[in-house]
Amino acid sequence: MNYFAQNADTSSSSRMPSNELSLFLEYLIDKEALLVGLGNPMRSDDNVGVYLIELLEQLELPPHWNLLKCYRNPENYLGKLLNSKSRIIVFIDSVQGMSEEVRIFCEDEIKDFSFSTHTFGISTFIKYLKSRRQVRFFLIGIKPEKLEVGVELTKKAKGRADFIFRRFEKACKNTD
């Protein structure tokens, strides 16, 4: 039993190292999940969450996984988030100030960090959605190199997203 299965109904402040991404996907693979990409396409690495969702759109994902690009205004997608049948919502976003290149944040670790470039922080959505329905939350945080105005992702942020994509690809192939 892995970390996520053990802590499925309890809160934990344990940090999950990036090398455990495979364990997270192993936990998630048979669950109904909504993967939500956040980011601003005009702010370089801030768009890495949307970029990863676009990569995932190319995969044959489990039928119980859904993808949603919320860009920089996730509040515009509250209806879709509320109407989702998924019991797990996984936000994917750039997270400034992380020492790791990739990190999975469990629900109790997701706070309105100063990194957020969105109108409302993710924890605001979590509180609101939890008041309306029973759902668990995770955040796949990807370390950005720069968040300045620009259209292109940096090579490092793109490489981190590509790494995560390959882990998703491998997890999906292992379910055949």
Side-chain angles (χ1 to χ4, degrees), residues 100-151:
E100 306 94 339
E101 292 187 8
V102 173
R103 179 171 166 206
I104 307 297
F105 291 86
C106 295
E107 186 173 310
D108 62 328
E109 298 175 297
I110 302 170
K111 309 214 181 342
D112 284 334
F113 301 105
S114 60
F115 71 82
S116 181
T117 61
H118 311 293
T119 307
F120 295 102
I122 295 172
S123 70
T124 303
F125 289 103
I126 290 173
K127 289 175 192 170
Y128 180 76
L129 293 169
K130 284 186 93 53
S131 75
R132 304 288 182 152
R133 57 186 290 249
Q134 187 176 6
V135 65
R136 293 199 65 217
F137 294 91
F138 294 94
L139 167 65
I140 298 176
I142 303 169
K143 182 179 181 177
E145 292 302 309
K146 68 178 187 177
L147 298 173
E148 297 153 14
V149 175
V151 178

Short mmCIF file of all heavy atoms in Angstrom, two decimals, residues 100-151:
data_model
loop_
_atom_site.label_atom_id
_atom_site.label_comp_id
_atom_site.label_asym_id
_atom_site.label_seq_id
_atom_site.Cartn_x
_atom_site.Cartn_y
_atom_site.Cartn_z
N GLU A 100 12.44 21.45 -4.96
CA GLU A 100 12.32 20.33 -5.89
C GLU A 100 11.91 20.84 -7.27
O GLU A 100 11.31 21.90 -7.39
CB GLU A 100 11.24 19.33 -5.43
CG GLU A 100 11.41 18.83 -4.02
CD GLU A 100 10.61 19.66 -3.01
OE1 GLU A 100 10.23 20.81 -3.29
OE2 GLU A 100 10.37 19.12 -1.92
N GLU A 101 12.21 20.06 -8.30
CA GLU A 101 11.77 20.42 -9.64
C GLU A 101 10.30 20.10 -9.85
O GLU A 101 9.61 20.80 -10.58
CB GLU A 101 12.64 19.72 -10.68
CG GLU A 101 14.07 20.21 -10.68
CD GLU A 101 14.89 19.64 -11.80
OE1 GLU A 101 14.34 18.97 -12.69
OE2 GLU A 101 16.11 19.88 -11.80
N VAL A 102 9.85 19.02 -9.24
CA VAL A 102 8.46 18.58 -9.30
C VAL A 102 8.08 18.10 -7.91
O VAL A 102 8.88 17.44 -7.24
CB VAL A 102 8.29 17.41 -10.30
CG1 VAL A 102 6.88 16.85 -10.25
CG2 VAL A 102 8.64 17.85 -11.71
N ARG A 103 6.89 18.44 -7.49
CA ARG A 103 6.44 18.00 -6.16
C ARG A 103 4.94 17.79 -6.17
O ARG A 103 4.20 18.56 -6.77
CB ARG A 103 6.80 19.04 -5.11
CG ARG A 103 6.34 18.64 -3.73
CD ARG A 103 6.88 19.54 -2.66
NE ARG A 103 6.13 19.29 -1.45
CZ ARG A 103 5.95 20.15 -0.49
NH1 ARG A 103 6.51 21.34 -0.57
NH2 ARG A 103 5.24 19.85 0.56
N ILE A 104 4.51 16.75 -5.50
CA ILE A 104 3.09 16.50 -5.30
C ILE A 104 2.73 17.07 -3.94
O ILE A 104 3.29 16.68 -2.93
CB ILE A 104 2.75 14.99 -5.32
CG1 ILE A 104 3.29 14.30 -6.58
CG2 ILE A 104 1.25 14.79 -5.16
CD1 ILE A 104 2.73 14.77 -7.86
N PHE A 105 1.78 18.00 -3.93
CA PHE A 105 1.28 18.56 -2.69
C PHE A 105 -0.03 17.85 -2.36
O PHE A 105 -0.92 17.76 -3.21
CB PHE A 105 0.98 20.06 -2.83
CG PHE A 105 2.19 20.92 -3.00
CD1 PHE A 105 2.74 21.14 -4.25
CD2 PHE A 105 2.78 21.54 -1.90
CE1 PHE A 105 3.86 21.94 -4.42
CE2 PHE A 105 3.89 22.35 -2.05
CZ PHE A 105 4.43 22.55 -3.32
N CYS A 106 -0.13 17.35 -1.14
CA CYS A 106 -1.39 16.78 -0.67
C CYS A 106 -2.30 17.93 -0.25
O CYS A 106 -1.85 19.05 -0.05
CB CYS A 106 -1.14 15.83 0.49
SG CYS A 106 -0.18 14.39 -0.03
N GLU A 107 -3.55 17.62 -0.09
CA GLU A 107 -4.57 18.65 0.15
C GLU A 107 -4.23 19.60 1.30
O GLU A 107 -4.37 20.80 1.17
CB GLU A 107 -5.88 17.94 0.44
CG GLU A 107 -7.06 18.83 0.58
CD GLU A 107 -8.32 18.03 0.69
OE1 GLU A 107 -8.56 17.14 -0.13
OE2 GLU A 107 -9.08 18.31 1.64
N ASP A 108 -3.76 19.04 2.41
CA ASP A 108 -3.50 19.90 3.56
C ASP A 108 -2.25 20.76 3.39
O ASP A 108 -2.02 21.68 4.16
CB ASP A 108 -3.41 19.08 4.84
CG ASP A 108 -2.29 18.07 4.83
OD1 ASP A 108 -1.96 17.55 3.75
OD2 ASP A 108 -1.73 17.79 5.90
N GLU A 109 -1.48 20.52 2.36
CA GLU A 109 -0.29 21.32 2.07
C GLU A 109 -0.57 22.46 1.10
O GLU A 109 0.26 23.34 0.92
CB GLU A 109 0.81 20.45 1.46
CG GLU A 109 1.29 19.35 2.37
CD GLU A 109 2.28 18.46 1.64
OE1 GLU A 109 1.90 17.83 0.64
OE2 GLU A 109 3.44 18.43 2.09
N ILE A 110 -1.72 22.41 0.45
CA ILE A 110 -2.04 23.41 -0.56
C ILE A 110 -2.56 24.65 0.14
O ILE A 110 -3.58 24.64 0.80
CB ILE A 110 -3.09 22.88 -1.56
CG1 ILE A 110 -2.57 21.62 -2.25
CG2 ILE A 110 -3.42 23.96 -2.60
CD1 ILE A 110 -3.63 20.90 -3.08
N LYS A 111 -1.83 25.71 -0.02
CA LYS A 111 -2.19 26.97 0.62
C LYS A 111 -2.15 28.06 -0.44
O LYS A 111 -1.71 27.85 -1.55
CB LYS A 111 -1.18 27.28 1.72
CG LYS A 111 -0.98 26.10 2.67
CD LYS A 111 -0.72 26.53 4.05
CE LYS A 111 -0.49 25.43 5.03
NZ LYS A 111 -0.88 24.11 4.79
N ASP A 112 -2.60 29.23 -0.09
CA ASP A 112 -2.51 30.36 -1.03
C ASP A 112 -1.08 30.90 -0.98
O ASP A 112 -0.80 31.90 -0.34
CB ASP A 112 -3.52 31.46 -0.68
CG ASP A 112 -4.92 31.08 -1.10
OD1 ASP A 112 -5.06 30.29 -2.03
OD2 ASP A 112 -5.86 31.58 -0.48
N PHE A 113 -0.19 30.15 -1.62
CA PHE A 113 1.21 30.54 -1.66
C PHE A 113 1.36 31.88 -2.37
O PHE A 113 0.53 32.26 -3.17
CB PHE A 113 2.02 29.50 -2.45
CG PHE A 113 1.95 28.11 -1.88
CD1 PHE A 113 1.17 27.14 -2.49
CD2 PHE A 113 2.66 27.78 -0.75
CE1 PHE A 113 1.12 25.85 -2.00
CE2 PHE A 113 2.62 26.49 -0.24
CZ PHE A 113 1.84 25.53 -0.87
N SER A 114 2.43 32.53 -2.10
CA SER A 114 2.68 33.79 -2.79
C SER A 114 3.02 33.57 -4.26
O SER A 114 3.08 34.51 -5.02
CB SER A 114 3.82 34.55 -2.11
OG SER A 114 4.99 33.77 -2.14
N PHE A 115 3.24 32.29 -4.66
CA PHE A 115 3.58 32.02 -6.05
C PHE A 115 2.41 32.23 -6.99
O PHE A 115 2.59 32.38 -8.18
CB PHE A 115 4.09 30.57 -6.22
CG PHE A 115 3.01 29.53 -6.05
CD1 PHE A 115 2.16 29.21 -7.10
CD2 PHE A 115 2.85 28.89 -4.85
CE1 PHE A 115 1.17 28.26 -6.95
CE2 PHE A 115 1.86 27.95 -4.70
CZ PHE A 115 1.02 27.64 -5.75
N SER A 116 1.19 32.20 -6.49
CA SER A 116 0.03 32.18 -7.36
C SER A 116 -0.10 33.47 -8.17
O SER A 116 -0.04 34.56 -7.63
CB SER A 116 -1.24 31.98 -6.55
OG SER A 116 -2.36 31.95 -7.41
N THR A 117 -0.28 33.31 -9.48
CA THR A 117 -0.53 34.46 -10.33
C THR A 117 -2.00 34.51 -10.71
O THR A 117 -2.40 35.29 -11.57
CB THR A 117 0.32 34.40 -11.62
OG1 THR A 117 -0.04 33.21 -12.33
CG2 THR A 117 1.80 34.41 -11.28
N HIS A 118 -2.80 33.67 -10.07
CA HIS A 118 -4.22 33.59 -10.40
C HIS A 118 -5.00 34.53 -9.50
O HIS A 118 -4.57 34.87 -8.40
CB HIS A 118 -4.71 32.15 -10.26
CG HIS A 118 -3.80 31.19 -10.96
ND1 HIS A 118 -3.65 31.17 -12.32
CD2 HIS A 118 -2.94 30.26 -10.48
CE1 HIS A 118 -2.76 30.26 -12.65
NE2 HIS A 118 -2.30 29.70 -11.55
N THR A 119 -6.18 34.92 -9.95
CA THR A 119 -7.00 35.86 -9.20
C THR A 119 -7.30 35.32 -7.80
O THR A 119 -7.19 36.02 -6.82
CB THR A 119 -8.31 36.13 -9.96
OG1 THR A 119 -7.99 36.53 -11.28
CG2 THR A 119 -9.11 37.22 -9.29
N PHE A 120 -7.67 34.06 -7.73
CA PHE A 120 -7.93 33.39 -6.45
C PHE A 120 -6.93 32.27 -6.29
O PHE A 120 -6.62 31.57 -7.25
CB PHE A 120 -9.35 32.81 -6.41
CG PHE A 120 -10.42 33.85 -6.47
CD1 PHE A 120 -11.09 34.09 -7.66
CD2 PHE A 120 -10.76 34.59 -5.35
CE1 PHE A 120 -12.09 35.05 -7.72
CE2 PHE A 120 -11.75 35.55 -5.41
CZ PHE A 120 -12.42 35.78 -6.60
N GLY A 121 -6.43 32.07 -5.08
CA GLY A 121 -5.52 30.98 -4.83
C GLY A 121 -6.24 29.64 -4.85
O GLY A 121 -7.46 29.57 -4.69
N ILE A 122 -5.48 28.59 -5.05
CA ILE A 122 -6.06 27.25 -5.14
C ILE A 122 -6.78 26.87 -3.85
O ILE A 122 -7.84 26.24 -3.90
CB ILE A 122 -4.97 26.22 -5.49
CG1 ILE A 122 -4.43 26.50 -6.89
CG2 ILE A 122 -5.51 24.80 -5.43
CD1 ILE A 122 -3.22 25.68 -7.27
N SER A 123 -6.26 27.26 -2.70
CA SER A 123 -6.92 26.87 -1.45
C SER A 123 -8.31 27.48 -1.33
O SER A 123 -9.20 26.90 -0.71
CB SER A 123 -6.07 27.22 -0.23
OG SER A 123 -6.00 28.60 -0.05
N THR A 124 -8.53 28.64 -1.94
CA THR A 124 -9.87 29.23 -1.96
C THR A 124 -10.84 28.32 -2.71
O THR A 124 -11.97 28.10 -2.26
CB THR A 124 -9.82 30.63 -2.64
OG1 THR A 124 -8.88 31.44 -1.94
CG2 THR A 124 -11.19 31.28 -2.64
N PHE A 125 -10.40 27.76 -3.83
CA PHE A 125 -11.23 26.82 -4.58
C PHE A 125 -11.50 25.56 -3.79
O PHE A 125 -12.61 25.03 -3.79
CB PHE A 125 -10.59 26.46 -5.92
CG PHE A 125 -10.62 27.59 -6.88
CD1 PHE A 125 -9.49 28.34 -7.11
CD2 PHE A 125 -11.78 27.93 -7.54
CE1 PHE A 125 -9.51 29.40 -7.99
CE2 PHE A 125 -11.82 28.99 -8.43
CZ PHE A 125 -10.68 29.72 -8.65
N ILE A 126 -10.47 25.07 -3.13
CA ILE A 126 -10.63 23.86 -2.34
C ILE A 126 -11.69 24.06 -1.27
O ILE A 126 -12.60 23.24 -1.11
CB ILE A 126 -9.29 23.42 -1.73
CG1 ILE A 126 -8.37 22.91 -2.85
CG2 ILE A 126 -9.49 22.36 -0.65
CD1 ILE A 126 -6.96 22.61 -2.42
N LYS A 127 -11.59 25.15 -0.53
CA LYS A 127 -12.58 25.42 0.53
C LYS A 127 -13.99 25.52 -0.04
O LYS A 127 -14.92 24.94 0.50
CB LYS A 127 -12.22 26.72 1.27
CG LYS A 127 -11.01 26.60 2.15
CD LYS A 127 -10.64 27.95 2.74
CE LYS A 127 -9.26 27.89 3.38
NZ LYS A 127 -8.77 29.22 3.75
N TYR A 128 -14.13 26.23 -1.14
CA TYR A 128 -15.44 26.39 -1.74
C TYR A 128 -15.99 25.05 -2.25
O TYR A 128 -17.13 24.67 -1.96
CB TYR A 128 -15.39 27.40 -2.89
CG TYR A 128 -16.74 27.58 -3.54
CD1 TYR A 128 -17.73 28.34 -2.92
CD2 TYR A 128 -17.03 26.99 -4.77
CE1 TYR A 128 -18.97 28.51 -3.50
CE2 TYR A 128 -18.27 27.15 -5.35
CZ TYR A 128 -19.24 27.90 -4.72
OH TYR A 128 -20.47 28.05 -5.30
N LEU A 129 -15.19 24.30 -3.01
CA LEU A 129 -15.64 23.04 -3.56
C LEU A 129 -15.95 22.02 -2.47
O LEU A 129 -16.92 21.27 -2.56
CB LEU A 129 -14.62 22.49 -4.56
CG LEU A 129 -14.46 23.31 -5.84
CD1 LEU A 129 -13.25 22.84 -6.62
CD2 LEU A 129 -15.72 23.23 -6.69
N LYS A 130 -15.13 21.99 -1.42
CA LYS A 130 -15.38 21.06 -0.31
C LYS A 130 -16.67 21.41 0.44
O LYS A 130 -17.29 20.55 1.03
CB LYS A 130 -14.18 21.01 0.64
CG LYS A 130 -13.03 20.20 0.06
CD LYS A 130 -11.91 20.03 1.03
CE LYS A 130 -11.96 18.81 1.83
NZ LYS A 130 -12.08 17.54 1.21
N SER A 131 -17.06 22.68 0.40
CA SER A 131 -18.32 23.05 1.05
C SER A 131 -19.51 22.59 0.23
O SER A 131 -20.63 22.53 0.74
CB SER A 131 -18.38 24.57 1.27
OG SER A 131 -18.64 25.25 0.05
N ARG A 132 -19.29 22.25 -1.03
CA ARG A 132 -20.36 21.84 -1.94
C ARG A 132 -20.41 20.35 -2.22
O ARG A 132 -21.44 19.82 -2.61
CB ARG A 132 -20.22 22.55 -3.29
CG ARG A 132 -20.19 24.04 -3.21
CD ARG A 132 -21.55 24.54 -2.88
NE ARG A 132 -21.56 25.99 -2.84
CZ ARG A 132 -22.61 26.71 -3.09
NH1 ARG A 132 -23.74 26.14 -3.40
NH2 ARG A 132 -22.53 28.01 -3.02
N ARG A 133 -19.26 19.66 -2.09
CA ARG A 133 -19.22 18.24 -2.43
C ARG A 133 -18.00 17.57 -1.81
O ARG A 133 -17.05 18.25 -1.42
CB ARG A 133 -19.23 18.03 -3.95
CG ARG A 133 -18.11 18.71 -4.69
CD ARG A 133 -18.27 18.58 -6.19
NE ARG A 133 -18.04 17.21 -6.61
CZ ARG A 133 -16.99 16.84 -7.33
NH1 ARG A 133 -16.10 17.71 -7.72
NH2 ARG A 133 -16.82 15.59 -7.66
N GLN A 134 -18.06 16.26 -1.73
CA GLN A 134 -16.94 15.50 -1.16
C GLN A 134 -15.93 15.22 -2.27
O GLN A 134 -16.24 14.57 -3.26
CB GLN A 134 -17.44 14.19 -0.56
CG GLN A 134 -16.37 13.44 0.18
CD GLN A 134 -16.93 12.19 0.85
OE1 GLN A 134 -18.08 11.83 0.67
NE2 GLN A 134 -16.09 11.52 1.61
N VAL A 135 -14.73 15.73 -2.09
CA VAL A 135 -13.69 15.59 -3.10
C VAL A 135 -12.33 15.73 -2.42
O VAL A 135 -12.20 16.43 -1.42
CB VAL A 135 -13.88 16.63 -4.24
CG1 VAL A 135 -13.71 18.04 -3.74
CG2 VAL A 135 -12.99 16.35 -5.43
N ARG A 136 -11.31 15.04 -2.96
CA ARG A 136 -9.93 15.16 -2.48
C ARG A 136 -9.14 15.96 -3.50
O ARG A 136 -9.43 15.91 -4.69
CB ARG A 136 -9.29 13.78 -2.35
CG ARG A 136 -9.94 12.97 -1.25
CD ARG A 136 -9.07 11.84 -0.78
NE ARG A 136 -7.88 12.39 -0.16
CZ ARG A 136 -6.67 11.84 -0.27
NH1 ARG A 136 -6.49 10.77 -0.97
NH2 ARG A 136 -5.63 12.39 0.32
N PHE A 137 -8.13 16.65 -3.03
CA PHE A 137 -7.34 17.52 -3.90
C PHE A 137 -5.86 17.20 -3.78
O PHE A 137 -5.37 16.87 -2.70
CB PHE A 137 -7.54 18.99 -3.53
CG PHE A 137 -8.93 19.48 -3.80
CD1 PHE A 137 -9.90 19.41 -2.82
CD2 PHE A 137 -9.27 20.00 -5.03
CE1 PHE A 137 -11.18 19.86 -3.06
CE2 PHE A 137 -10.55 20.44 -5.29
CZ PHE A 137 -11.51 20.38 -4.30
N PHE A 138 -5.17 17.36 -4.90
CA PHE A 138 -3.71 17.30 -4.96
C PHE A 138 -3.26 18.42 -5.89
O PHE A 138 -4.05 18.94 -6.69
CB PHE A 138 -3.23 15.96 -5.52
CG PHE A 138 -3.55 14.79 -4.64
CD1 PHE A 138 -4.70 14.04 -4.85
CD2 PHE A 138 -2.71 14.44 -3.59
CE1 PHE A 138 -5.01 12.96 -4.04
CE2 PHE A 138 -3.01 13.36 -2.77
CZ PHE A 138 -4.16 12.62 -3.00
N LEU A 139 -2.00 18.76 -5.79
CA LEU A 139 -1.40 19.74 -6.69
C LEU A 139 -0.08 19.16 -7.17
O LEU A 139 0.77 18.77 -6.35
CB LEU A 139 -1.14 21.07 -5.97
CG LEU A 139 -0.24 22.08 -6.67
CD1 LEU A 139 -0.87 22.59 -7.96
CD2 LEU A 139 0.09 23.25 -5.74
N ILE A 140 0.07 19.06 -8.48
CA ILE A 140 1.38 18.73 -9.05
C ILE A 140 2.05 20.08 -9.28
O ILE A 140 1.65 20.84 -10.16
CB ILE A 140 1.27 17.94 -10.36
CG1 ILE A 140 0.56 16.59 -10.12
CG2 ILE A 140 2.66 17.72 -10.96
CD1 ILE A 140 0.33 15.78 -11.38
N GLY A 141 3.03 20.37 -8.45
CA GLY A 141 3.77 21.63 -8.56
C GLY A 141 5.00 21.45 -9.42
O GLY A 141 5.74 20.48 -9.25
N ILE A 142 5.20 22.37 -10.34
CA ILE A 142 6.34 22.33 -11.24
C ILE A 142 7.12 23.62 -11.04
O ILE A 142 6.56 24.71 -11.14
CB ILE A 142 5.89 22.18 -12.71
CG1 ILE A 142 5.02 20.92 -12.87
CG2 ILE A 142 7.11 22.14 -13.64
CD1 ILE A 142 4.32 20.81 -14.21
N LYS A 143 8.39 23.48 -10.74
CA LYS A 143 9.24 24.64 -10.48
C LYS A 143 9.46 25.45 -11.76
O LYS A 143 9.94 24.92 -12.75
CB LYS A 143 10.59 24.18 -9.93
CG LYS A 143 11.53 25.29 -9.57
CD LYS A 143 12.82 24.72 -8.99
CE LYS A 143 13.77 25.82 -8.59
NZ LYS A 143 14.98 25.25 -7.98
N PRO A 144 9.11 26.74 -11.75
CA PRO A 144 9.36 27.59 -12.92
C PRO A 144 10.76 28.19 -12.88
O PRO A 144 11.35 28.33 -11.81
CB PRO A 144 8.31 28.69 -12.77
CG PRO A 144 8.18 28.84 -11.29
CD PRO A 144 8.36 27.46 -10.71
N GLU A 145 11.27 28.53 -14.02
CA GLU A 145 12.55 29.24 -14.11
C GLU A 145 12.32 30.75 -14.18
O GLU A 145 13.05 31.52 -13.59
CB GLU A 145 13.35 28.78 -15.33
CG GLU A 145 13.84 27.35 -15.22
CD GLU A 145 14.71 27.12 -14.00
OE1 GLU A 145 15.68 27.87 -13.78
OE2 GLU A 145 14.43 26.16 -13.26
N LYS A 146 11.29 31.14 -14.94
CA LYS A 146 10.95 32.56 -15.00
C LYS A 146 9.46 32.70 -15.29
O LYS A 146 8.86 31.86 -15.94
CB LYS A 146 11.80 33.32 -16.02
CG LYS A 146 11.57 32.97 -17.46
CD LYS A 146 12.45 33.84 -18.34
CE LYS A 146 12.10 33.64 -19.81
NZ LYS A 146 12.86 34.50 -20.68
N LEU A 147 8.92 33.78 -14.76
CA LEU A 147 7.49 34.05 -14.91
C LEU A 147 7.25 35.40 -15.59
O LEU A 147 6.17 35.96 -15.50
CB LEU A 147 6.80 34.02 -13.54
CG LEU A 147 6.85 32.68 -12.81
CD1 LEU A 147 6.31 32.80 -11.40
CD2 LEU A 147 6.11 31.61 -13.59
N GLU A 148 8.28 35.89 -16.25
CA GLU A 148 8.18 37.18 -16.91
C GLU A 148 7.31 37.06 -18.16
O GLU A 148 7.08 35.97 -18.67
CB GLU A 148 9.58 37.66 -17.29
CG GLU A 148 10.45 37.88 -16.06
CD GLU A 148 11.93 37.71 -16.37
OE1 GLU A 148 12.31 37.68 -17.55
OE2 GLU A 148 12.69 37.58 -15.41
N VAL A 149 6.84 38.20 -18.62
CA VAL A 149 6.02 38.21 -19.82
C VAL A 149 6.83 37.62 -20.97
O VAL A 149 7.96 38.00 -21.22
CB VAL A 149 5.55 39.64 -20.16
CG1 VAL A 149 4.79 39.65 -21.48
CG2 VAL A 149 4.66 40.16 -19.04
N GLY A 150 6.26 36.65 -21.61
CA GLY A 150 6.90 35.95 -22.72
C GLY A 150 6.01 34.79 -23.13
O GLY A 150 5.22 34.31 -22.34
N VAL A 151 6.12 34.34 -24.30
CA VAL A 151 5.22 33.32 -24.81
C VAL A 151 5.76 31.91 -24.58
O VAL A 151 5.00 30.99 -24.32
CB VAL A 151 4.92 33.56 -26.31
CG1 VAL A 151 4.02 32.48 -26.85
CG2 VAL A 151 4.31 34.93 -26.51
#
